[in-house]
Amino acid sequence: MELKELVDGFGAALKIEGLSLDAEGKAAFTADGMWVGIADNAVTRTFSLTGRIGETPPEGRERLDRLFLKTNAMFVSGSGMSVGLDAEDRYVLMSSLEYTYLTTETFAEKIEAFLNELERLCALAKSFPGSTQEVAKAAADSAAEAKMLSEGRFLQV
């Protein structure tokens, strides 16, 4: 099956309006507030998934980097996912998969597994001491700031 068919079928099944590969073979969607990008590599018949975990923390970055490096060691032997940094210095989860033998159902299962891991890592990054969200919590000393924090306006993942 071609990736375009898989992405179109996935978008239709989950009622994600407009989810389709563009002329460059790329698509993106948001699920539960998490951004996910899909990119086709037609030459190798693989696609990559990229999900934004979050901003690098202003303090304690080295500790979070070490934690994600350890996470990468586990992923290599398991799911094939890895954590890295994008061009804007944000943590991202990445995966590359062959699509030739996937069906719409197995494609959705791969996306779901990716989203589950992305959600776990987003929660970890948000709760990590020194994360943007932790710094925002410490700064929220007025009712207005606390309200903004509860609405998630300090950290967009």
Side-chain angles (χ1 to χ4, degrees):
M1 197 171 239
E2 294 299 317
L3 185 60
K4 180 175 179 8
E5 296 172 87
L6 295 169
V7 171
D8 289 349
F10 176 74
L14 295 182
K15 297 181 173 89
I16 302 173
E17 191 174 320
L19 182 62
S20 186
L21 293 178
D22 63 17
E24 295 178 354
K26 297 179 181 178
F29 66 97
T30 303
D32 296 329
M34 298 177 296
W35 180 91
V36 175
I38 303 170
D40 186 6
N41 184 340
V43 174
T44 61
R45 305 207 32 91
T46 60
F47 68 98
S48 62
L49 294 171
T50 304
R52 291 187 187 139
I53 296 170
E55 306 291 330
T56 54
E59 297 175 24
R61 176 179 176 166
E62 187 174 311
R63 289 180 48 222
L64 190 54
D65 286 350
R66 288 179 53 78
L67 179 64
F68 283 146
L69 284 172
K70 289 178 182 179
T71 300
N72 280 345
M74 291 184 296
F75 286 152
V76 169
S77 63
S79 66
M81 297 179 208
S82 62
V83 178
L85 293 171
D86 68 8
E88 286 84 39
D89 210 29
R90 295 177 294 207
Y91 292 111
V92 291
L93 178 64
M94 299 167 290
S95 182
S96 182
L97 300 161
E98 186 177 344
Y99 60 79
T100 306
Y101 303 104
L102 294 180
T103 64
T104 304
E105 293 79 24
T106 56
F107 179 77
E109 290 169 6
K110 299 290 184 188
I111 300 286
E112 182 179 8
F114 185 84
L115 287 171
N116 288 339
E117 191 55 37
L118 181 60
E119 183 175 37
R120 186 184 76 79
L121 293 173
C122 286
L124 176 66
K126 286 178 185 177
S127 68
F128 197 80
S131 72
T132 306
Q133 184 142 345
E134 286 295 314
V135 171
K137 281 181 188 174
D141 56 9
S142 72
E145 288 171 327
K147 183 176 186 295
M148 287 175 63
L149 178 62
S150 70
E151 295 172 353
R153 294 189 197 170
F154 283 97
L155 177 64
Q156 295 294 320
V157 177

